[in-house]
Amino acid sequence: MTNFKDGVIRDGSTLGTGKALGNLKGGVIRDGSTLGTGKALGNVKDGVIRNGSTLGTGTAIGNVKDGVVRNGNTLGTGAARGKVSDYTIKGIEREYDAEIVAVYHFLIKKFL
């Protein structure tokens, strides 16, 4: 089971426990074990998920609008890939929908 606490995503069953898989800070997902460190894997800006290292850069791989995850490169376009609730991990519920999906895609299982 995966969990999220204080910006760090871990593979433990209890919040804050387990091996660190990566972190989320300011819309950028990184593979480091502490907040803001590690190689940037992707980013989220205005509901669009990209594979670039800084906000708004890189190739768009998906988007989230009104709780629906799509594989299009602009907000609300593309084939539906599910709902945000399908990709939520324990403790991350208060983050933006697109960030929740991006964390799942880059750190748990690539699906976009």
Side-chain angles (χ1 to χ4, degrees), residues 46-91:
D46 299 328
V48 178
I49 302 165
R50 299 178 182 275
N51 63 6
S53 60
T54 56
L55 282 182
T57 65
T59 305
I61 59 172
N63 67 82
V64 179
K65 182 178 180 184
D66 299 329
V68 179
V69 181
R70 298 182 181 276
N71 63 1
N73 58 5
T74 56
L75 200 58
T77 64
R81 298 294 304 213
K83 297 179 181 179
V84 173
S85 59
D86 298 335
Y87 306 105
T88 300
I89 60 176
K90 187 176 186 177

Side-chain angles (χ1 to χ4, degrees), residues 4 7-10 20-45 47-57 61-62 64 89 92 95-112:
F4 176 87
V8 179
I9 298 88
R10 300 180 180 276
L21 301 174
N23 65 81
L24 169 67
K25 182 179 179 185
V28 179
I29 297 96
R30 298 179 181 275
D31 63 1
S33 60
T34 56
L35 198 58
T37 65
K39 177 185 171 198
L41 304 172
N43 69 83
V44 177
K45 184 176 179 186
V48 178
I49 302 165
R50 299 178 182 275
N51 63 6
S53 60
T54 56
L55 282 182
T57 65
I61 59 172
V64 179
I89 60 176
I92 202 168
E95 300 299 319
Y96 292 112
D97 287 350
E99 289 179 345
I100 292 170
V101 174
V103 163
Y104 192 94
H105 172 79
F106 289 111
L107 297 175
I108 302 189
K109 182 180 179 187
K110 295 197 183 289
F111 68 94
L112 289 172

